[in-house]
Structures are given as C-alpha cells and as structure tokens.
C-alpha cells in the first residue's frame, strides 16, 4: 500500500497544485485582459453612422473638404460677370405679339453675377447675406460672417487654400475648418442643397477637434 506521507510524492503533489494554481491565475488574467480589450474597441463607424446619420468614411470626409475648398477659392477670387439688360419682353396672353418695354430711357441695367461651384449668383444678394450674418444675434454666425467679409476683400491674412496637396487640412487646421464652415454656411443660405451634407461633415470635424 503506497505511503501517503511519502516525501517524494508530497513534493510532486505540491508542485502539481502550484501548476494548477498558476494556470488558473493565467486564465483569469487572460479573461480580464480580453474584457479590457473588448471595452477599448472603437465604436464601429457603421453604428455611429446609424446613430448620428453622419457617414464617417475617409473618402466622404475628403469629398466634403474638397467641396468646401472649392467654395473657399471661389469666394476668395470673387470672380464676377456683368450683364447689362436693355429692356424686357412683355406680352399678354391674349396678344401673341410681344411688346418691348424699355426701362426709363433704355439705359442698360447692370446685373453682376458671382461665379461659384454651384453656378452664378447675384453678387448683391451674396453681399447682403454676408452682411446679414455679421449683424446676426448669434455670436457664432457673426464670426462666420466676419470671416466671409475678410475673404471677400481678399485679406492678406486669408489662406491661399484650405487643403494641402494630400487632401489634409491646412497646417492651421482649426482655422481652415472654420473657414470651411463659413463658406458652406453661405452656400446653404444661397439655397445650394448639395452643400448641406458637406457642411454637417465639416461641423462634425470641428466639434471633434474642439472636444
């Protein structure tokens, strides 16, 4: 009958118990590490998009940046075209023959159009919108309006472009994004629907930067 108090067996049994304890400790440590890793995983972009409605893909962010930069360049250049209208045709439905109605003494009536990525807009109307922004009751809108005023005057303090050649923001990133918000806000006020989504995306970037 084996001696239960055999010193050799006692040493072996003790070593086996220590091994089991070490294995249990390692398994417990691995489980805790896995839990921490799981908690540290970023929220999937698809889930964020579903919750916020903001697509977060790199390509979509770049599209928004490029679109904002196009508006920035257009407003910085402030390229205009003058159209002189001599008169207008007016006709009555009952009379198919058009009558030419002259304004005053038929002097040309100039209308100046501003070129933008969304087409041409009445320059006077664009100027009024910018002025209205500077007189807004909201501080943020006032600041955006003032940025647009500087851009319209082609102030020397304005950046040449908002983006670097690799489509990243200018080195003064926050300033570039704020200008992007300013020009796209103006675009939306002009009724350009395609500017709405890029505006929300650059606003999201600005909020992330500020936060």
């Amino acid at each position: 009958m084996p001696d239960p108090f055999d010193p050799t067996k006692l040493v072996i049994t003790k070593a086996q118990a220590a091994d089991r304890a070490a294995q249990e400790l390692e398994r417990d440590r691995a489980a805790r590490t896995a839990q921490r890793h799981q908690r540290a995983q970023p929220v999937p972009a698809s889930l964020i998009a579903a919750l916020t409605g903001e697509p977060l893909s790199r390509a979509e962010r770049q599209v928004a940046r490029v679109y904002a930069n196009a508006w920035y360049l257009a407003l910085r250049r402030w390229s205009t075209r003058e159209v002189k209208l001599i008169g207008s045709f007016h006709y009555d439905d009952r009379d198919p023959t058009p009558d030419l109605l002259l304004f005053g003494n038929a002097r040309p009536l100039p209308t100046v159009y501003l070129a933008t990525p969304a087409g041409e807009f009445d320059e006077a109307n664009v100027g009024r919108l910018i002025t209205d922004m500077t007189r807004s009751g909201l501080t943020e809108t006032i600041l955006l309006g003032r940025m647009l005023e500087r851009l319209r005057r082609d102030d020397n303090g304005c950046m040449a472009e908002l983006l670097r050649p690799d489509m990243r923001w200018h080195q003064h990133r926050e300033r570039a994004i704020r200008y992007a918000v300013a020009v796209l806000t103006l675009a939306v006020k002009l009724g350009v629907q395609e500017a709405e989504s890029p505006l929300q995306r650059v606003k999201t970037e600005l909020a992330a930067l500020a936060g």
Side-chain angles (χ1 to χ4, degrees):
M1 180 177 179
D3 183 0
F5 299 104
D6 185 340
T8 301
K9 289 186 178 181
L10 288 175
V11 170
I12 293 175
T13 300
K14 185 176 181 180
Q16 289 175 339
D19 286 343
R20 285 194 297 271
Q23 290 173 0
E24 288 291 337
L25 180 63
E26 184 62 30
R27 281 195 293 269
D28 184 60
R29 183 181 302 158
R32 288 198 302 271
T33 300
Q35 289 176 352
R36 286 197 301 270
H37 179 69
Q38 185 175 12
R39 287 195 297 269
Q41 290 297 309
V43 179
S46 58
L47 178 57
I48 295 177
L51 294 175
T52 65
E54 291 295 333
L56 299 179
S57 76
R58 181 179 178 183
E60 286 169 325
R61 285 196 298 269
Q62 286 187 347
V63 167
R65 293 175 183 179
V66 170
Y67 187 70
N69 191 54
W71 270 90
Y72 179 86
L73 293 176
L75 296 178
R76 185 169 181 268
R77 292 174 185 140
W78 205 266
S79 177
T80 59
R81 179 175 67 92
E82 185 177 282
V83 178
K84 294 182 179 180
L85 302 176
I86 302 281
S88 66
F89 283 103
H90 168 76
Y91 61 91
D92 193 315
D93 291 341
R94 296 166 296 182
D95 183 2
T97 304
D99 296 319
L100 181 62
L101 299 181
L102 300 180
F103 296 103
N105 58 1
R107 287 180 301 178
L109 296 176
T111 300
V112 181
Y113 293 97
L114 174 68
T116 77
E120 294 183 324
F121 291 90
D122 186 329
E123 182 192 34
N125 184 44
V126 176
R128 279 193 297 271
L129 286 174
I130 293 175
T131 300
D132 289 345
M133 289 175 68
T134 63
R135 297 173 179 173
S136 169
L138 301 175
T139 303
E140 181 65 22
T141 303
I142 292 173
L143 294 176
L144 296 178
R146 289 175 179 174
M147 294 175 76
L148 292 171
E149 283 284 9
R150 289 196 295 270
L151 191 57
R152 178 167 62 165
R153 294 195 305 266
D154 194 16
D155 193 304
N156 291 331
C158 295
M159 296 172 283
E161 294 195 34
L162 298 183
L163 301 180
R164 302 179 184 185
D166 60 1
M167 301 305 170
R168 289 186 299 165
W169 291 112
H170 186 277
Q171 60 180 350
H172 301 297
R173 186 179 177 189
E174 182 175 353
R175 188 162 166 240
I177 299 177
R178 288 190 182 280
Y179 263 110
V181 171
V183 298
L184 293 180
T185 297
L186 177 62
V188 170
K189 287 181 177 295
L190 286 168
V192 182
Q193 292 185 350
E194 64 186 18
E196 294 176 359
S197 181
L199 174 59
Q200 294 306 315
R201 289 171 189 161
V202 294
K203 280 185 174 180
T204 298
E205 286 202 61
L206 181 60
L209 190 63

PDB file of all heavy atoms in Angstrom, residues 21-53:
ATOM      1  N   ALA A  21      -2.668  26.119  -9.894  1.00  0.00           N
ATOM      2  CA  ALA A  21      -2.972  27.473  -9.418  1.00  0.00           C
ATOM      3  C   ALA A  21      -2.436  28.523 -10.393  1.00  0.00           C
ATOM      4  O   ALA A  21      -3.092  29.537 -10.676  1.00  0.00           O
ATOM      5  CB  ALA A  21      -2.374  27.679  -8.028  1.00  0.00           C
ATOM      6  N   ALA A  22      -1.228  28.249 -10.914  1.00  0.00           N
ATOM      7  CA  ALA A  22      -0.639  29.198 -11.877  1.00  0.00           C
ATOM      8  C   ALA A  22      -1.450  29.247 -13.160  1.00  0.00           C
ATOM      9  O   ALA A  22      -1.661  30.316 -13.745  1.00  0.00           O
ATOM     10  CB  ALA A  22       0.808  28.790 -12.175  1.00  0.00           C
ATOM     11  N   GLN A  23      -1.933  28.074 -13.605  1.00  0.00           N
ATOM     12  CA  GLN A  23      -2.751  28.027 -14.817  1.00  0.00           C
ATOM     13  C   GLN A  23      -4.070  28.772 -14.627  1.00  0.00           C
ATOM     14  O   GLN A  23      -4.529  29.492 -15.511  1.00  0.00           O
ATOM     15  CB  GLN A  23      -2.999  26.572 -15.208  1.00  0.00           C
ATOM     16  CG  GLN A  23      -1.760  25.854 -15.715  1.00  0.00           C
ATOM     17  CD  GLN A  23      -1.996  24.369 -15.936  1.00  0.00           C
ATOM     18  OE1 GLN A  23      -3.109  23.872 -15.706  1.00  0.00           O
ATOM     19  NE2 GLN A  23      -0.959  23.654 -16.346  1.00  0.00           N
ATOM     20  N   GLU A  24      -4.690  28.561 -13.447  1.00  0.00           N
ATOM     21  CA  GLU A  24      -5.936  29.262 -13.151  1.00  0.00           C
ATOM     22  C   GLU A  24      -5.714  30.775 -13.134  1.00  0.00           C
ATOM     23  O   GLU A  24      -6.521  31.551 -13.648  1.00  0.00           O
ATOM     24  CB  GLU A  24      -6.484  28.802 -11.795  1.00  0.00           C
ATOM     25  CG  GLU A  24      -7.053  27.382 -11.792  1.00  0.00           C
ATOM     26  CD  GLU A  24      -8.335  27.286 -12.611  1.00  0.00           C
ATOM     27  OE1 GLU A  24      -9.010  28.318 -12.811  1.00  0.00           O
ATOM     28  OE2 GLU A  24      -8.655  26.161 -13.057  1.00  0.00           O
ATOM     29  N   LEU A  25      -4.591  31.198 -12.528  1.00  0.00           N
ATOM     30  CA  LEU A  25      -4.271  32.619 -12.471  1.00  0.00           C
ATOM     31  C   LEU A  25      -4.072  33.198 -13.863  1.00  0.00           C
ATOM     32  O   LEU A  25      -4.529  34.300 -14.180  1.00  0.00           O
ATOM     33  CB  LEU A  25      -3.019  32.822 -11.606  1.00  0.00           C
ATOM     34  CG  LEU A  25      -2.557  34.281 -11.438  1.00  0.00           C
ATOM     35  CD1 LEU A  25      -3.635  35.092 -10.715  1.00  0.00           C
ATOM     36  CD2 LEU A  25      -1.244  34.323 -10.648  1.00  0.00           C
ATOM     37  N   GLU A  26      -3.398  32.420 -14.728  1.00  0.00           N
ATOM     38  CA  GLU A  26      -3.141  32.882 -16.095  1.00  0.00           C
ATOM     39  C   GLU A  26      -4.432  32.999 -16.890  1.00  0.00           C
ATOM     40  O   GLU A  26      -4.636  33.954 -17.651  1.00  0.00           O
ATOM     41  CB  GLU A  26      -2.170  31.923 -16.782  1.00  0.00           C
ATOM     42  CG  GLU A  26      -1.751  32.354 -18.184  1.00  0.00           C
ATOM     43  CD  GLU A  26      -1.014  33.680 -18.182  1.00  0.00           C
ATOM     44  OE1 GLU A  26      -0.331  33.994 -17.180  1.00  0.00           O
ATOM     45  OE2 GLU A  26      -1.140  34.413 -19.191  1.00  0.00           O
ATOM     46  N   ARG A  27      -5.337  31.991 -16.711  1.00  0.00           N
ATOM     47  CA  ARG A  27      -6.623  32.043 -17.410  1.00  0.00           C
ATOM     48  C   ARG A  27      -7.446  33.250 -16.953  1.00  0.00           C
ATOM     49  O   ARG A  27      -8.071  33.933 -17.757  1.00  0.00           O
ATOM     50  CB  ARG A  27      -7.402  30.738 -17.186  1.00  0.00           C
ATOM     51  CG  ARG A  27      -6.936  29.588 -18.061  1.00  0.00           C
ATOM     52  CD  ARG A  27      -7.962  28.468 -18.067  1.00  0.00           C
ATOM     53  NE  ARG A  27      -8.054  27.833 -16.756  1.00  0.00           N
ATOM     54  CZ  ARG A  27      -7.324  26.770 -16.395  1.00  0.00           C
ATOM     55  NH1 ARG A  27      -6.457  26.238 -17.243  1.00  0.00           N
ATOM     56  NH2 ARG A  27      -7.467  26.240 -15.199  1.00  0.00           N
ATOM     57  N   ASP A  28      -7.420  33.497 -15.629  1.00  0.00           N
ATOM     58  CA  ASP A  28      -8.161  34.636 -15.100  1.00  0.00           C
ATOM     59  C   ASP A  28      -7.582  35.953 -15.624  1.00  0.00           C
ATOM     60  O   ASP A  28      -8.321  36.870 -15.996  1.00  0.00           O
ATOM     61  CB  ASP A  28      -8.103  34.606 -13.571  1.00  0.00           C
ATOM     62  CG  ASP A  28      -8.936  35.724 -12.945  1.00  0.00           C
ATOM     63  OD1 ASP A  28     -10.155  35.755 -13.191  1.00  0.00           O
ATOM     64  OD2 ASP A  28      -8.355  36.559 -12.230  1.00  0.00           O
ATOM     65  N   ARG A  29      -6.256  36.033 -15.696  1.00  0.00           N
ATOM     66  CA  ARG A  29      -5.610  37.241 -16.213  1.00  0.00           C
ATOM     67  C   ARG A  29      -5.943  37.446 -17.693  1.00  0.00           C
ATOM     68  O   ARG A  29      -6.208  38.564 -18.129  1.00  0.00           O
ATOM     69  CB  ARG A  29      -4.094  37.123 -16.017  1.00  0.00           C
ATOM     70  CG  ARG A  29      -3.327  38.369 -16.452  1.00  0.00           C
ATOM     71  CD  ARG A  29      -1.839  38.154 -16.242  1.00  0.00           C
ATOM     72  NE  ARG A  29      -1.555  37.840 -14.849  1.00  0.00           N
ATOM     73  CZ  ARG A  29      -0.455  37.211 -14.445  1.00  0.00           C
ATOM     74  NH1 ARG A  29       0.438  36.792 -15.307  1.00  0.00           N
ATOM     75  NH2 ARG A  29      -0.267  36.980 -13.150  1.00  0.00           N
ATOM     76  N   ALA A  30      -5.950  36.354 -18.469  1.00  0.00           N
ATOM     77  CA  ALA A  30      -6.272  36.447 -19.891  1.00  0.00           C
ATOM     78  C   ALA A  30      -7.715  36.907 -20.100  1.00  0.00           C
ATOM     79  O   ALA A  30      -8.005  37.688 -21.010  1.00  0.00           O
ATOM     80  CB  ALA A  30      -6.040  35.096 -20.562  1.00  0.00           C
ATOM     81  N   ALA A  31      -8.616  36.402 -19.231  1.00  0.00           N
ATOM     82  CA  ALA A  31     -10.023  36.794 -19.344  1.00  0.00           C
ATOM     83  C   ALA A  31     -10.190  38.283 -19.061  1.00  0.00           C
ATOM     84  O   ALA A  31     -10.930  38.993 -19.752  1.00  0.00           O
ATOM     85  CB  ALA A  31     -10.872  35.966 -18.384  1.00  0.00           C
ATOM     86  N   ARG A  32      -9.499  38.774 -18.027  1.00  0.00           N
ATOM     87  CA  ARG A  32      -9.598  40.201 -17.700  1.00  0.00           C
ATOM     88  C   ARG A  32      -9.013  41.064 -18.808  1.00  0.00           C
ATOM     89  O   ARG A  32      -9.560  42.124 -19.151  1.00  0.00           O
ATOM     90  CB  ARG A  32      -8.883  40.491 -16.368  1.00  0.00           C
ATOM     91  CG  ARG A  32      -9.613  39.963 -15.141  1.00  0.00           C
ATOM     92  CD  ARG A  32      -9.108  40.649 -13.888  1.00  0.00           C
ATOM     93  NE  ARG A  32      -7.666  40.471 -13.720  1.00  0.00           N
ATOM     94  CZ  ARG A  32      -7.114  39.445 -13.066  1.00  0.00           C
ATOM     95  NH1 ARG A  32      -7.894  38.524 -12.511  1.00  0.00           N
ATOM     96  NH2 ARG A  32      -5.808  39.336 -12.947  1.00  0.00           N
ATOM     97  N   THR A  33      -7.904  40.590 -19.389  1.00  0.00           N
ATOM     98  CA  THR A  33      -7.293  41.338 -20.499  1.00  0.00           C
ATOM     99  C   THR A  33      -8.233  41.407 -21.687  1.00  0.00           C
ATOM    100  O   THR A  33      -8.372  42.444 -22.340  1.00  0.00           O
ATOM    101  CB  THR A  33      -5.972  40.673 -20.924  1.00  0.00           C
ATOM    102  OG1 THR A  33      -5.071  40.650 -19.807  1.00  0.00           O
ATOM    103  CG2 THR A  33      -5.326  41.434 -22.075  1.00  0.00           C
ATOM    104  N   ALA A  34      -8.905  40.285 -21.985  1.00  0.00           N
ATOM    105  CA  ALA A  34      -9.850  40.253 -23.102  1.00  0.00           C
ATOM    106  C   ALA A  34     -11.011  41.200 -22.872  1.00  0.00           C
ATOM    107  O   ALA A  34     -11.471  41.887 -23.784  1.00  0.00           O
ATOM    108  CB  ALA A  34     -10.363  38.824 -23.303  1.00  0.00           C
ATOM    109  N   GLN A  35     -11.490  41.253 -21.624  1.00  0.00           N
ATOM    110  CA  GLN A  35     -12.588  42.165 -21.299  1.00  0.00           C
ATOM    111  C   GLN A  35     -12.170  43.620 -21.479  1.00  0.00           C
ATOM    112  O   GLN A  35     -12.913  44.438 -22.021  1.00  0.00           O
ATOM    113  CB  GLN A  35     -13.058  41.928 -19.869  1.00  0.00           C
ATOM    114  CG  GLN A  35     -13.809  40.618 -19.683  1.00  0.00           C
ATOM    115  CD  GLN A  35     -14.179  40.384 -18.229  1.00  0.00           C
ATOM    116  OE1 GLN A  35     -13.737  41.127 -17.346  1.00  0.00           O
ATOM    117  NE2 GLN A  35     -14.973  39.361 -17.987  1.00  0.00           N
ATOM    118  N   ARG A  36     -10.941  43.933 -21.014  1.00  0.00           N
ATOM    119  CA  ARG A  36     -10.461  45.310 -21.186  1.00  0.00           C
ATOM    120  C   ARG A  36     -10.313  45.654 -22.651  1.00  0.00           C
ATOM    121  O   ARG A  36     -10.653  46.747 -23.093  1.00  0.00           O
ATOM    122  CB  ARG A  36      -9.117  45.488 -20.461  1.00  0.00           C
ATOM    123  CG  ARG A  36      -9.230  45.555 -18.956  1.00  0.00           C
ATOM    124  CD  ARG A  36      -7.964  46.126 -18.350  1.00  0.00           C
ATOM    125  NE  ARG A  36      -6.786  45.320 -18.679  1.00  0.00           N
ATOM    126  CZ  ARG A  36      -6.350  44.321 -17.945  1.00  0.00           C
ATOM    127  NH1 ARG A  36      -6.970  43.988 -16.820  1.00  0.00           N
ATOM    128  NH2 ARG A  36      -5.273  43.647 -18.297  1.00  0.00           N
ATOM    129  N   HIS A  37      -9.786  44.698 -23.430  1.00  0.00           N
ATOM    130  CA  HIS A  37      -9.606  44.926 -24.866  1.00  0.00           C
ATOM    131  C   HIS A  37     -10.954  45.132 -25.547  1.00  0.00           C
ATOM    132  O   HIS A  37     -11.088  45.993 -26.412  1.00  0.00           O
ATOM    133  CB  HIS A  37      -8.882  43.730 -25.487  1.00  0.00           C
ATOM    134  CG  HIS A  37      -8.686  43.872 -26.965  1.00  0.00           C
ATOM    135  ND1 HIS A  37      -7.828  44.797 -27.518  1.00  0.00           N
ATOM    136  CD2 HIS A  37      -9.275  43.219 -28.001  1.00  0.00           C
ATOM    137  CE1 HIS A  37      -7.867  44.707 -28.839  1.00  0.00           C
ATOM    138  NE2 HIS A  37      -8.738  43.760 -29.157  1.00  0.00           N
ATOM    139  N   GLN A  38     -11.944  44.355 -25.119  1.00  0.00           N
ATOM    140  CA  GLN A  38     -13.274  44.477 -25.709  1.00  0.00           C
ATOM    141  C   GLN A  38     -13.869  45.848 -25.403  1.00  0.00           C
ATOM    142  O   GLN A  38     -14.483  46.481 -26.250  1.00  0.00           O
ATOM    143  CB  GLN A  38     -14.176  43.380 -25.175  1.00  0.00           C
ATOM    144  CG  GLN A  38     -15.550  43.355 -25.842  1.00  0.00           C
ATOM    145  CD  GLN A  38     -16.380  42.186 -25.370  1.00  0.00           C
ATOM    146  OE1 GLN A  38     -16.035  41.526 -24.401  1.00  0.00           O
ATOM    147  NE2 GLN A  38     -17.474  41.928 -26.042  1.00  0.00           N
ATOM    148  N   ARG A  39     -13.669  46.330 -24.164  1.00  0.00           N
ATOM    149  CA  ARG A  39     -14.197  47.641 -23.808  1.00  0.00           C
ATOM    150  C   ARG A  39     -13.487  48.754 -24.558  1.00  0.00           C
ATOM    151  O   ARG A  39     -14.050  49.797 -24.849  1.00  0.00           O
ATOM    152  CB  ARG A  39     -14.048  47.862 -22.296  1.00  0.00           C
ATOM    153  CG  ARG A  39     -15.015  47.059 -21.459  1.00  0.00           C
ATOM    154  CD  ARG A  39     -15.052  47.617 -20.054  1.00  0.00           C
ATOM    155  NE  ARG A  39     -13.770  47.515 -19.380  1.00  0.00           N
ATOM    156  CZ  ARG A  39     -13.401  46.485 -18.628  1.00  0.00           C
ATOM    157  NH1 ARG A  39     -14.210  45.453 -18.456  1.00  0.00           N
ATOM    158  NH2 ARG A  39     -12.221  46.482 -18.039  1.00  0.00           N
ATOM    159  N   ALA A  40     -12.198  48.516 -24.899  1.00  0.00           N
ATOM    160  CA  ALA A  40     -11.417  49.561 -25.554  1.00  0.00           C
ATOM    161  C   ALA A  40     -11.640  49.627 -27.057  1.00  0.00           C
ATOM    162  O   ALA A  40     -11.153  50.529 -27.714  1.00  0.00           O
ATOM    163  CB  ALA A  40      -9.925  49.334 -25.289  1.00  0.00           C
ATOM    164  N   GLN A  41     -12.348  48.654 -27.611  1.00  0.00           N
ATOM    165  CA  GLN A  41     -12.582  48.655 -29.051  1.00  0.00           C
ATOM    166  C   GLN A  41     -13.371  49.882 -29.463  1.00  0.00           C
ATOM    167  O   GLN A  41     -14.337  50.259 -28.799  1.00  0.00           O
ATOM    168  CB  GLN A  41     -13.350  47.388 -29.462  1.00  0.00           C
ATOM    169  CG  GLN A  41     -12.528  46.115 -29.362  1.00  0.00           C
ATOM    170  CD  GLN A  41     -11.343  46.146 -30.310  1.00  0.00           C
ATOM    171  OE1 GLN A  41     -11.502  46.410 -31.495  1.00  0.00           O
ATOM    172  NE2 GLN A  41     -10.173  45.886 -29.780  1.00  0.00           N
ATOM    173  N   PRO A  42     -12.975  50.556 -30.565  1.00  0.00           N
ATOM    174  CA  PRO A  42     -13.731  51.734 -31.013  1.00  0.00           C
ATOM    175  C   PRO A  42     -15.116  51.348 -31.479  1.00  0.00           C
ATOM    176  O   PRO A  42     -15.347  50.243 -31.937  1.00  0.00           O
ATOM    177  CB  PRO A  42     -12.882  52.260 -32.183  1.00  0.00           C
ATOM    178  CG  PRO A  42     -12.120  51.066 -32.665  1.00  0.00           C
ATOM    179  CD  PRO A  42     -11.847  50.241 -31.436  1.00  0.00           C
ATOM    180  N   VAL A  43     -16.028  52.291 -31.353  1.00  0.00           N
ATOM    181  CA  VAL A  43     -17.388  52.052 -31.834  1.00  0.00           C
ATOM    182  C   VAL A  43     -17.348  51.967 -33.353  1.00  0.00           C
ATOM    183  O   VAL A  43     -16.753  52.826 -34.003  1.00  0.00           O
ATOM    184  CB  VAL A  43     -18.318  53.199 -31.399  1.00  0.00           C
ATOM    185  CG1 VAL A  43     -19.727  52.960 -31.916  1.00  0.00           C
ATOM    186  CG2 VAL A  43     -18.310  53.328 -29.889  1.00  0.00           C
ATOM    187  N   PRO A  44     -17.926  50.931 -33.949  1.00  0.00           N
ATOM    188  CA  PRO A  44     -17.885  50.797 -35.405  1.00  0.00           C
ATOM    189  C   PRO A  44     -18.466  52.022 -36.098  1.00  0.00           C
ATOM    190  O   PRO A  44     -19.449  52.616 -35.640  1.00  0.00           O
ATOM    191  CB  PRO A  44     -18.758  49.556 -35.659  1.00  0.00           C
ATOM    192  CG  PRO A  44     -18.756  48.811 -34.370  1.00  0.00           C
ATOM    193  CD  PRO A  44     -18.658  49.852 -33.297  1.00  0.00           C
ATOM    194  N   ALA A  45     -17.827  52.407 -37.207  1.00  0.00           N
ATOM    195  CA  ALA A  45     -18.291  53.578 -37.957  1.00  0.00           C
ATOM    196  C   ALA A  45     -19.723  53.397 -38.430  1.00  0.00           C
ATOM    197  O   ALA A  45     -20.498  54.347 -38.495  1.00  0.00           O
ATOM    198  CB  ALA A  45     -17.371  53.824 -39.152  1.00  0.00           C
ATOM    199  N   SER A  46     -20.084  52.148 -38.751  1.00  0.00           N
ATOM    200  CA  SER A  46     -21.445  51.899 -39.236  1.00  0.00           C
ATOM    201  C   SER A  46     -22.468  52.205 -38.149  1.00  0.00           C
ATOM    202  O   SER A  46     -23.550  52.716 -38.426  1.00  0.00           O
ATOM    203  CB  SER A  46     -21.580  50.436 -39.680  1.00  0.00           C
ATOM    204  OG  SER A  46     -21.271  49.565 -38.597  1.00  0.00           O
ATOM    205  N   LEU A  47     -22.099  51.893 -36.874  1.00  0.00           N
ATOM    206  CA  LEU A  47     -23.016  52.169 -35.772  1.00  0.00           C
ATOM    207  C   LEU A  47     -23.132  53.674 -35.543  1.00  0.00           C
ATOM    208  O   LEU A  47     -24.216  54.195 -35.330  1.00  0.00           O
ATOM    209  CB  LEU A  47     -22.538  51.474 -34.494  1.00  0.00           C
ATOM    210  CG  LEU A  47     -23.395  51.711 -33.238  1.00  0.00           C
ATOM    211  CD1 LEU A  47     -24.833  51.286 -33.489  1.00  0.00           C
ATOM    212  CD2 LEU A  47     -22.812  50.978 -32.053  1.00  0.00           C
ATOM    213  N   ILE A  48     -21.995  54.365 -35.602  1.00  0.00           N
ATOM    214  CA  ILE A  48     -22.015  55.821 -35.446  1.00  0.00           C
ATOM    215  C   ILE A  48     -22.857  56.448 -36.541  1.00  0.00           C
ATOM    216  O   ILE A  48     -23.653  57.349 -36.294  1.00  0.00           O
ATOM    217  CB  ILE A  48     -20.587  56.387 -35.478  1.00  0.00           C
ATOM    218  CG1 ILE A  48     -19.800  55.888 -34.274  1.00  0.00           C
ATOM    219  CG2 ILE A  48     -20.615  57.913 -35.494  1.00  0.00           C
ATOM    220  CD1 ILE A  48     -18.358  56.320 -34.251  1.00  0.00           C
ATOM    221  N   ALA A  49     -22.682  55.946 -37.768  1.00  0.00           N
ATOM    222  CA  ALA A  49     -23.456  56.489 -38.883  1.00  0.00           C
ATOM    223  C   ALA A  49     -24.945  56.274 -38.664  1.00  0.00           C
ATOM    224  O   ALA A  49     -25.767  57.135 -38.960  1.00  0.00           O
ATOM    225  CB  ALA A  49     -23.006  55.835 -40.186  1.00  0.00           C
ATOM    226  N   ALA A  50     -25.292  55.087 -38.116  1.00  0.00           N
ATOM    227  CA  ALA A  50     -26.705  54.787 -37.895  1.00  0.00           C
ATOM    228  C   ALA A  50     -27.301  55.682 -36.813  1.00  0.00           C
ATOM    229  O   ALA A  50     -28.451  56.104 -36.890  1.00  0.00           O
ATOM    230  CB  ALA A  50     -26.872  53.315 -37.495  1.00  0.00           C
ATOM    231  N   LEU A  51     -26.479  56.008 -35.806  1.00  0.00           N
ATOM    232  CA  LEU A  51     -26.969  56.814 -34.697  1.00  0.00           C
ATOM    233  C   LEU A  51     -26.983  58.308 -35.016  1.00  0.00           C
ATOM    234  O   LEU A  51     -27.865  59.033 -34.591  1.00  0.00           O
ATOM    235  CB  LEU A  51     -26.106  56.575 -33.455  1.00  0.00           C
ATOM    236  CG  LEU A  51     -26.171  55.166 -32.848  1.00  0.00           C
ATOM    237  CD1 LEU A  51     -25.177  55.038 -31.714  1.00  0.00           C
ATOM    238  CD2 LEU A  51     -27.579  54.863 -32.356  1.00  0.00           C
ATOM    239  N   THR A  52     -25.977  58.757 -35.751  1.00  0.00           N
ATOM    240  CA  THR A  52     -25.838  60.187 -35.996  1.00  0.00           C
ATOM    241  C   THR A  52     -26.219  60.610 -37.397  1.00  0.00           C
ATOM    242  O   THR A  52     -26.403  61.795 -37.663  1.00  0.00           O
ATOM    243  CB  THR A  52     -24.378  60.629 -35.763  1.00  0.00           C
ATOM    244  OG1 THR A  52     -23.545  59.995 -36.747  1.00  0.00           O
ATOM    245  CG2 THR A  52     -23.903  60.238 -34.380  1.00  0.00           C
ATOM    246  N   GLY A  53     -26.295  59.643 -38.304  1.00  0.00           N
ATOM    247  CA  GLY A  53     -26.593  59.989 -39.693  1.00  0.00           C
ATOM    248  C   GLY A  53     -25.394  60.584 -40.406  1.00  0.00           C
ATOM    249  O   GLY A  53     -25.519  61.110 -41.504  1.00  0.00           O
TER     250      GLY A  53
END
